[in-house]
Amino acid sequence: GAGVSQTPSNKVTEKGKYVELRCDPISGHTALYWYRQSLGQGPEFLIYFQGTGAADDSGLPNDRFFAVRPEGSVSTLKIQRTERGDSAVYLCASSPTSGRVETQYFGPGTRLLVL
Amino acid sequence: AQTVTQSQPEMSVQEAETVTLSCTYDTSENNYYLFWYKQPPSRQMILVIRQEAYKQQNATENRFSVNFQKAAKSFSLKISDSQLGDTAMYFCAFMKPHGDMRFGAGTRLTVKP
């Protein structure tokens, strides 16, 4: 079956612009995670959804970052007034449940470059 | 807060040899999970192996095995019979139940022919 997909694979934008990054999880996976990976670093947690609701958004760096998952499947990470420091790879992962720990399956990421 | 430390930024190994990647973590939790993920240049994070903290037996997956020392909070990865395709970044990760995953900074492994 299909894995986690993310679009676009690369995004170049100008400072101050708004961007949306999309994640399609594995079908049937109820938990969805967003991570940010800066160059030379490990992924850093941003937000976690269980179904349609954000169960934990403690990793979002500030109020310019927002994510939604309106139907409990596809999720969109939204970044307002982008800054050069937002440049990174944004990774999405999904897992079957959150009631017990399951392995997270990652997408290929979206590389965001803010000029 | 949980932290994960990978003290080896880079490692290299000859093809067919064995290499061990180190990982330590800090937590006050008793029940948790540990993972090793591989990230090739394609950026795709691929699960290599996982270990439940309540299991004393070390996990193994073909050429990959772990040495899990709970008291020492150590979780090293051993790769046997290294192959060129093993060249990648390797990330150690910690996860508690109902929690997010915390990653180390990674070890860049190069397998030399």
Side-chain angles (χ1 to χ4, degrees):
Chain A
V4 178
S5 63
Q6 293 186 245
T7 54
S9 56
N10 294 281
K11 175 71 177 178
V12 181
T13 191
E14 295 179 345
K15 180 175 177 295
K17 298 291 188 181
Y18 167 83
V19 296
E20 289 189 352
L21 312 179
R22 176 187 169 107
C23 172
D24 280 86
I26 293 172
S27 178
H29 281 194
T30 56
L32 185 147
Y33 302 80
W34 282 100
Y35 294 87
R36 179 169 68 176
Q37 187 176 20
S38 300
L39 191 63
Q41 301 293 320
E44 182 181 22
F45 169 75
L46 294 177
I47 186 170
Y48 147 55
F49 287 90
Q50 172 56 25
T52 60
D56 183 354
D57 64 357
S58 61
L60 295 178
N62 51 60
D63 61 5
R64 295 186 299 106
F65 288 75
F66 189 71
V68 296
R69 195 186 184 199
E71 297 179 356
S73 178
V74 171
S75 177
T76 304
L77 178 65
K78 307 180 180 190
I79 310 175
Q80 298 177 325
R81 304 182 304 280
T82 52
E83 300 178 356
R84 291 192 180 89
D86 298 335
S87 296
V89 174
Y90 289 81
L91 295 168
C92 176
S94 69
S95 66
T97 74
S98 66
R100 61 185 179 92
V101 174
E102 290 287 348
T103 299
Q104 294 184 22
Y105 298 87
F106 283 81
T110 293
R111 184 182 300 279
L112 175 66
L113 178 61
V114 182
L115 301 177
Chain B
Q2 289 77 33
T3 58
V4 179
T5 302
Q6 293 180 248
S7 59
Q8 304 152 315
E10 295 188 20
M11 294 278 286
S12 64
V13 62
Q14 291 295 134
E15 193 176 8
E17 297 295 310
T18 296
V19 64
T20 299
L21 308 184
S22 301
C23 174
T24 59
Y25 57 94
D26 184 25
T27 185
S28 58
E29 302 286 335
N30 187 53
N31 185 26
Y32 52 87
Y33 300 80
L34 297 163
F35 303 83
W36 278 98
Y37 277 89
K38 167 185 176 181
Q39 187 178 43
S42 67
R43 297 199 308 248
Q44 185 83 45
M45 295 282 280
I46 301 165
L47 177 68
V48 174
I49 199 165
R50 60 175 277 167
Q51 173 84 40
E52 290 84 356
Y54 62 84
K55 290 186 178 179
Q56 294 185 340
Q57 186 173 7
N58 288 325
T60 63
E61 287 288 342
N62 301 313
R63 297 183 295 108
F64 300 89
S65 62
V66 298
N67 183 4
F68 173 47
Q69 301 290 328
K70 190 172 183 179
K73 297 180 183 175
S74 172
F75 184 61
S76 61
L77 174 69
K78 185 172 81 171
I79 305 174
S80 303
D81 185 25
S82 298
Q83 300 176 1
L84 297 178
D86 295 335
T87 293
M89 285 290 292
Y90 286 81
F91 291 97
C92 178
F94 169 100
M95 183 175 181
K96 62 181 182 180
H98 313 294
D100 56 278
M101 195 173 289
R102 302 292 171 117
F103 290 84
T107 296
R108 182 177 303 279
L109 176 67
T110 301
V111 180
K112 299 179 178 179

